[in-house]
Amino acid sequence: MLLFFSGDCPVQKAHDARLRELVAAFQPKGVAFVAVASETGADLARLRAELGKRSLAMPLVEDRGAKLAD
């Protein structure tokens, strides 16, 4: 599951609890959850820290040129 992640989006933050529930339910069944940073100039270290702060257990990958987003 790809999550196009923003560390600042209040709408996305409002869904953090549900996302944690989905990760807990489906990761053990083999579903991979990956956060994707597509924003130009994204600070990956800051976004990784934000994932940890929000207890979202998934790796973060950079989408250079927003190719995945497109």
Side-chain angles (χ1 to χ4, degrees):
M1 196 284 295
L2 298 178
L3 169 68
F4 290 89
F5 186 71
S6 170
D8 303 316
C9 177
V11 174
Q12 190 171 66
K13 287 180 182 182
H15 295 281
D16 283 355
R18 179 68 178 133
L19 186 56
R20 285 190 294 272
E21 291 171 5
L22 291 170
V23 170
F26 289 98
Q27 252 181 358
K29 296 177 182 182
V31 176
F33 288 78
V34 178
V36 180
S38 292
E39 296 175 348
T40 302
D43 181 339
L44 298 182
R46 185 184 72 77
L47 291 176
R48 284 189 181 100
E50 185 67 20
L51 281 169
K53 176 181 167 188
R54 291 161 57 180
S55 299
L56 298 172
M58 63 187 73
L60 176 77
V61 297
E62 183 177 17
D63 181 18
R64 289 185 187 189
K67 292 176 183 171
L68 285 173
D70 288 343

